[in-house]
């Protein structure tokens, strides 16, 4: 069984929990996911099965889209509602939508983030959340992220609790910490803030309406229809141009051979090579010609 399954990850499960259960359902150990989701986050989690595990890195590289809710007026240890409240500041009057939108606009493009202490980023071989749980403070690495779009969907003021609730959508690059992004948004408005909930709408080129739940997958296996739901590895490589090889070229590629620049009739820096309609390899252009980036099959 080879292919990609766009899984709907439910809240309360880790990404590893999903992989572990799918290994039992699909009866194979060769399974990987493209982009970890926190247990409290639901949404799109592309799963690679069999030979498709070779394209995990290309799925991860694609942009992602999320929707969620920011609560302005309190901060937590984890920057979401899984942590303990460590700071509060009453929002005594509603923050205007125009002010919030202006602040969001300033946070689009290339930004620098400092990941939260409760994250899986490693410092000196140890994950930040391990330091946090031990009560240790370490200097966290600064990371670049690309925010393509950061928009407000709804803005509500809660006069009883003196909190502002901002519902948002964001399109971003891999490695972006959304809880840090929205906590920083609250700070830019002069208040502490924490993310209440988050759903991933898109990842690896898959959208929420394409996903299957774990129960859906289990049912498909039971009814022997799972192959209908497997996307080919080509799906992860659709951004690259593809070239069909001749028998002689395929023989060379099978043995890891290079191809001359004028052999492929393309000027692309990266190209997918196919033979007999099947994706075989990804090659990249060098001064000497096209050389292998990754082989997917030699058969």
């Amino acid at each position: 069984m080879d292919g990609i399954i766009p899984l709907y990850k439910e809240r309360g499960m880790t990404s590893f929990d999903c992989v572990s259960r799918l290994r039992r359902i699909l009866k194979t150990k060769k399974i990987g996911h493209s982009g970890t989701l926190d247990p409290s986050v639901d949404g799109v989690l592309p799963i690679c099965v069999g030979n498709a595990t070779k394209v995990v890195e290309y799925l991860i590289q694609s942009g992602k889209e999320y929707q969620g809710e920011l609560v302005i007026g309190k901060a937590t240890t984890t920057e979401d509602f899984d942590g303990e409240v460590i700071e509060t500041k009453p929002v005594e009057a509603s923050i205007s939508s125009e002010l919030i939108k202006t602040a969001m606009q300033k946070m689009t493009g290339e930004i620098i983030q400092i990941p939260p202490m409760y994250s899986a980023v490693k410092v000196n071989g140890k994950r930040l959340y391990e330091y946090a749980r031990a009560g240790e403070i370490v200097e966290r690495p600064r990371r670049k992220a690309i925010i393509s779009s950061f928009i407000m969907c709804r803005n509500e003021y809660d006069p009883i609790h003196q909190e502002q609730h901002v519902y948002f959508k964001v399109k971003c690059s891999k490695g972006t910490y959304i809880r840090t992004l929205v906590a920083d948004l609250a700070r830019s408005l002069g208040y502490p803030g924490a993310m209440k909930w988050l759903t991933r709408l898109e990842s690896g080129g898959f959208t929420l309406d394409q996903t299957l739940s774990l129960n859906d997958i289990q049912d498909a296996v039971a009814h022997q229809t799972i192959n209908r739901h497997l996307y080919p590895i080509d799906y992860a490589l659709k951004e690259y141009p593809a070239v069909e090889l001749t028998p002689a070229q395929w023989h060379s590629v099978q043995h890891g051979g290079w191809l001359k620049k004028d052999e492929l009739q393309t000027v692309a820096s990266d190209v997918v090579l196919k033979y007999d309609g099947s994706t075989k390899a990804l090659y990249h252009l060098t001064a000497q010609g096209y050389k292998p980036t990754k082989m997917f099959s030699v058969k």
Side-chain angles (χ1 to χ4, degrees):
M1 185 183 298
D2 300 304
I4 307 165
I5 302 174
L7 175 71
Y8 170 72
K9 190 195 86 67
E10 302 170 13
R11 290 193 175 117
M13 300 185 73
T14 67
S15 299
F16 180 78
D17 289 338
C18 295
V19 169
S20 181
R21 185 168 167 190
L22 283 170
R23 282 174 176 156
R24 294 194 297 272
I25 293 172
L26 300 175
K27 295 181 173 58
T28 179
K29 291 183 178 180
K30 203 171 182 182
I31 292 179
H33 66 77
S34 63
T36 302
L37 283 178
D38 290 338
S40 60
V41 179
D42 69 334
V44 183
L45 181 64
I47 298 290
C48 296
V49 184
N51 202 42
T53 54
K54 294 180 179 179
V55 298
V56 165
E57 63 188 282
Y58 302 104
L59 287 172
I60 291 175
Q61 287 173 7
S62 69
K64 296 169 175 58
E65 182 178 10
Y66 299 86
Q67 68 178 8
E69 178 185 353
L70 162 66
V71 176
I72 300 176
K74 65 178 64 172
T76 70
T77 52
T78 57
E79 299 180 342
D80 61 18
F81 272 49
D82 289 340
E84 298 177 5
V85 175
I86 54 174
E87 183 185 356
T88 61
K89 180 181 178 180
V91 182
E92 296 178 349
S94 178
I95 305 171
S96 73
S97 295
E98 290 72 23
L99 192 62
I100 295 170
K101 288 177 181 178
T102 298
M104 286 175 146
Q105 185 61 37
K106 290 178 180 178
M107 298 177 73
T108 58
E110 184 178 295
I111 65 169
I112 300 296
Q113 288 193 314
I114 299 175
M117 280 299 297
Y118 281 89
S119 65
V121 173
K122 282 188 176 182
V123 174
N124 298 325
K126 191 174 176 181
R127 299 194 185 277
L128 284 177
Y129 64 73
E130 295 177 296
Y131 288 109
R133 289 169 182 170
E136 301 175 42
I137 303 296
V138 294
E139 186 175 349
R140 290 168 282 171
R142 296 164 66 86
R143 297 167 58 145
K144 288 183 181 179
I146 304 295
I147 309 301
S148 304
S149 172
F150 191 19
I151 62 172
M152 186 185 72
C153 303
R154 199 161 84 246
N155 182 30
E156 295 178 353
Y157 178 62
D158 180 351
I160 297 175
H161 297 97
Q162 292 189 305
E163 295 173 346
Q164 193 86 20
H165 294 251
V166 179
Y167 298 83
F168 63 88
K169 279 188 179 180
V170 57
K171 293 182 179 180
C172 57
S173 63
K174 67 173 184 176
T176 304
Y177 282 95
I178 306 300
R179 51 197 161 114
T180 298
L181 179 71
V182 296
D184 287 347
L185 171 62
R187 290 288 179 196
S188 74
L189 295 166
Y191 294 90
M195 187 179 73
K196 188 171 184 180
W197 60 267
L198 188 70
T199 296
R200 186 150 73 187
L201 302 175
E202 183 174 350
S203 178
F206 295 100
T207 56
L208 201 58
D209 60 359
Q210 292 175 281
T211 58
L212 299 173
S213 69
L214 287 167
N215 287 338
D216 290 335
I217 296 170
Q218 191 161 16
D219 288 344
V221 170
H223 291 92
Q224 299 183 342
T225 59
I226 187 61
N227 286 335
R228 298 179 191 172
H229 304 288
L230 287 170
Y231 288 77
I233 64 172
D234 299 50
Y235 199 92
L237 305 167
K238 57 186 179 182
E239 299 300 319
Y240 300 102
V243 172
E244 185 74 20
L245 299 173
T246 65
Q249 289 171 333
W250 170 226
H251 179 76
S252 176
V253 168
Q254 279 180 298
H255 296 86
W258 292 30
L259 298 173
K260 294 178 181 178
K261 185 177 179 180
D262 57 3
E263 275 189 88
L264 296 182
Q265 298 180 341
T266 180
V267 294
S269 57
D270 297 277
V271 61
V272 172
L273 303 183
K274 293 189 171 188
Y275 183 67
D276 199 23
S278 177
T279 296
K280 301 298 184 181
L282 181 67
Y283 268 44
H284 66 274
L285 183 61
T286 69
Q288 294 77 32
Y290 284 94
K291 73 178 282 190
T293 303
K294 177 159 282 193
M295 293 295 301
F296 302 118
S297 174
V298 294
K299 297 179 180 179

